[in-house]
Amino acid sequence: MSVSVEKRSGWFPPDWDDDERMSFLFSAFKENRDVDCTDWDGKIDFWSPLIIEHCRRCGSVCVNLQDLNENFRRKGSVPLGLSTVIQSMIRSGKVQKESDFAANVDSGWLSWGVGLLLVRPLKWTLSALLGSGRVPLEESFVVIELVKEKAAELLAAYRGSALSARSLLSFQELRSLSSHICPDESTLCMALLQLQREKHVTVSLHEGEKLVKFSQAGQGRVSPVSEVDLGIYQLQCSEKLLEERVEALGHEAEKCKQQAKSLLKEGKKSQALRCLRGSKRVEKKADRLFAQLETVKGILDRIANSQTDRLVMQAYQAGVAALRISLKGVTVERAENLVDQIQELCDTQDEVNQTLASGAPDAGEDSEDLEEELKSLMEKSVPENDLFPAVPTHPITPPRKTDLPDAAFVQFLPSVPNPGMNITDEELDRELRRLTVSDKGLPRESVSPQRRLEPAQ
């Protein structure tokens, strides 16, 4: 996992250019953390995330001490405390030995030949027995955070591809599908091991071919590889092979036809006929293979339909069971009894409402006595007509029109007897003149100063 100096120059933190700071970080750890916990924790906090980020940038999920010393070399010096950092990461669960990571694999992995991952290196075993705390340079460790990321990306890539319609894939097909996720076969195996831990993948070996089965979307865990899965896989392989053969024969027949045309243009009729006969034979063979291909596709369609029918039947069974539980204790007789009780209660409520609406019986005097008293009160009351004068019934005669002017008409009127009024002729004349001026229909000049009201007698 060594990386060129130019590529990893931009991977390091700003402290990498500080010689004094890096001299401290490259130095060895104290023998005991209790001596100086600040020194110890500072180095652990620097190197642990740097190792994880370095592996992420390289696209790997495994790391060993030898590669780390080479990749973190600075000005000819290598960090002296990386072995202690690895041991601290093991204790915190950030990394795990490959042998421990693959310890719980099933028999499918053993048939794949992944047993080399299960064997503990002899150097590590001896060092553990002797009580040495040193980490062997070639011991490989799995970065748990990164292998989980790769596993999630691999599962998402499978479910987002056209291969998701197939639950069983060959290892080579999966290798091609995940080439942009897992740079090598070892990384792919680690991601598959993590998916197996999460119950999303199982592996098997069939006729020398490595097979991988994924859990389908909506399923909590993957089921073991069954004979049905192997049969479907063989049919799918046959379908793919027949499609390739039919396509190749089609190209060959077309090539023969083009060759026959060329020979015919050159005047080589007999050779053109032979090429044309060869084209017909190829076409017949292609037709026969195409018929076989249609048969295989029909079988696969029937299998897919049967699986759908099986899911529908399971849903029906679950629905019937749930309905039976929900209707437990419910019978037609009980339902009819409840309806009768409800109807009886409704009738009782209607009767109560009708009784309340009729009102309480009158506890006072009889209604006839009340009517007699009311009649007597009406007779004693004063008629309303006595309060106002009688309305005239004869027609009202309109005032008679005269041809006299207003002043002459006033002169024509008889004098008002009022012996008690002491009004002089001059006052009456002024009053008459004022009334004449206020009349709009008669001009002021029409009033004769000679015509004056006679003094009242």
Side-chain angles (χ1 to χ4, degrees):
M1 195 182 62
S2 60
V3 183
S4 62
V5 178
E6 294 80 6
K7 185 176 181 180
R8 57 188 173 90
S9 58
W11 294 3
F12 299 114
D15 292 346
W16 195 261
D17 297 329
D18 188 345
D19 292 339
E20 183 178 355
R21 171 68 174 164
M22 295 312 298
S23 176
F24 161 72
L25 293 173
F26 269 54
S27 62
F29 281 80
K30 304 292 183 181
E31 293 186 2
N32 193 342
R33 180 179 178 275
D34 297 334
V35 175
D36 190 351
C37 60
T38 304
D39 177 282
W40 188 288
D41 294 341
K43 293 179 180 178
I44 294 294
D45 293 341
F46 176 83
W47 288 110
S48 294
L50 185 60
I51 291 173
I52 295 175
E53 184 61 26
H54 175 76
C55 294
R56 179 181 285 112
R57 290 179 179 273
C58 292
S60 175
V61 297
C62 297
V63 65
N64 60 63
L65 188 58
Q66 184 175 1
D67 290 338
L68 289 178
N69 287 333
E70 184 64 28
N71 290 321
F72 291 147
R73 183 181 296 274
R74 181 181 181 273
K75 297 182 177 180
S77 301
V78 296
L80 301 179
L82 290 183
S83 176
T84 305
V85 175
I86 293 295
Q87 292 177 2
S88 175
M89 295 176 72
I90 293 174
R91 287 190 296 269
S92 62
K94 295 180 179 179
V95 299
Q96 192 175 9
K97 291 183 291 183
E98 277 190 1
S99 55
D100 293 339
F101 184 79
N104 298 323
V105 298
D106 55 18
S107 58
W109 288 101
L110 297 177
S111 63
W112 274 27
V114 195
L116 70 161
L117 296 176
L118 307 178
V119 180
R120 294 172 178 265
L122 181 60
K123 292 182 180 179
W124 177 266
T125 305
L126 292 177
S127 63
L129 291 175
L130 296 176
S132 173
R134 298 182 59 84
V135 176
L137 293 176
E138 297 180 357
E139 175 72 15
S140 185
F141 299 91
V142 179
V143 184
I144 303 300
E145 178 182 344
L146 299 184
V147 76
K148 288 182 178 180
E149 292 178 1
K150 293 293 183 182
E153 292 177 8
L154 179 60
L155 184 61
Y158 161 74
R159 291 181 175 175
S161 68
L163 297 176
S164 59
R166 299 166 50 187
S167 61
L168 206 60
L169 303 179
S170 68
F171 184 75
Q172 295 303 323
E173 289 175 327
L174 188 60
R175 184 77 184 89
S176 301
L177 177 66
S178 62
S179 58
H180 64 289
I181 300 173
C182 303
D184 50 42
E185 186 173 326
S186 175
T187 304
L188 177 58
C189 287
M190 291 300 162
L192 290 175
L193 282 169
Q194 179 62 32
L195 288 175
Q196 182 203 344
R197 286 185 169 188
E198 298 172 359
K199 309 299 181 183
H200 288 308
V201 155
T202 185
V203 300
S204 66
L205 189 68
H206 179 68
E207 296 181 355
E209 187 177 15
K210 299 176 182 179
L211 301 178
V212 181
K213 183 179 181 181
F214 284 86
S215 63
Q216 299 300 310
Q219 294 181 352
R221 55 186 301 168
V222 65
S223 59
V225 179
S226 62
E227 294 295 331
V228 176
D229 295 328
L230 293 175
I232 295 174
Y233 176 74
Q234 290 177 344
L235 286 173
Q236 291 171 342
C237 291
S238 299
E239 179 187 19
K240 183 179 180 181
L241 179 61
L242 288 173
E243 287 177 347
E244 294 175 353
R245 292 287 301 278
V246 168
E247 185 178 2
L249 289 175
H251 290 315
E252 185 179 351
E254 185 64 26
K255 182 179 179 181
C256 290
K257 288 182 180 180
Q258 295 297 331
Q259 189 176 1
K261 288 181 181 180
S262 300
L263 291 174
L264 186 61
K265 289 180 180 180
E266 295 175 2
K268 302 176 182 179
K269 185 177 180 180
S270 58
Q271 296 181 6
L273 289 175
R274 284 195 298 270
C275 288
L276 193 57
R277 292 192 190 97
S279 174
K280 294 297 181 183
R281 288 194 299 269
V282 171
E283 288 179 351
K284 288 181 180 180
K285 187 177 181 180
D287 292 339
R288 185 172 65 255
L289 292 179
F290 185 78
Q292 296 175 0
L293 176 60
E294 290 298 316
T295 302
V296 172
K297 287 185 176 182
I299 296 173
L300 288 173
D301 290 340
R302 288 179 178 273
I303 293 174
N305 293 334
S306 66
Q307 292 177 343
T308 304
D309 295 340
R310 179 173 56 84
L311 294 177
V312 172
M313 289 296 296
Q314 291 176 355
Y316 283 170
Q317 291 176 357
V320 169
L323 188 60
R324 182 179 294 111
I325 294 174
S326 62
L327 293 178
K328 186 178 181 180
V330 179
T331 61
V332 178
E333 291 77 9
R334 292 188 61 186
E336 292 177 350
N337 188 19
L338 289 175
V339 172
D340 293 339
Q341 292 180 15
I342 293 173
Q343 185 62 42
E344 183 179 353
L345 292 174
C346 290
D347 295 341
T348 303
Q349 185 182 16
D350 292 340
E351 293 177 0
V352 171
N353 293 336
Q354 186 176 1
T355 302
L356 294 176
S358 62
D362 196 352
E365 298 178 352
D366 191 72
S367 60
E368 295 180 359
D369 297 337
L370 293 176
E371 291 180 359
E372 290 294 336
E373 185 177 355
L374 180 62
K375 184 177 180 180
S376 63
L377 290 175
M378 293 296 293
E379 290 175 354
K380 293 179 181 179
S381 62
V382 180
E384 185 179 356
N385 295 336
D386 296 342
L387 300 177
F388 301 98
V391 178
T393 57
H394 61 275
I396 300 175
T397 304
R400 185 175 57 183
K401 296 183 179 181
T402 62
D403 296 333
L404 297 176
D406 293 340
F409 178 71
V410 172
Q411 184 69 26
F412 177 76
L413 292 175
S415 60
V416 179
N418 190 359
M421 294 178 61
N422 297 322
I423 303 176
T424 62
D425 293 340
E426 289 79 11
E427 291 175 352
L428 292 176
D429 190 273
R430 286 195 300 271
E431 182 68 16
L432 179 61
R433 190 180 296 112
R434 185 180 64 78
L435 293 174
T436 304
V437 172
S438 63
D439 191 359
K440 296 181 181 180
L442 184 64
R444 185 172 183 178
E445 289 76 13
S446 62
V447 180
S448 176
Q450 288 80 14
R451 295 182 180 177
R452 298 181 178 178
L453 293 175
E454 296 294 338
Q457 301 294 329

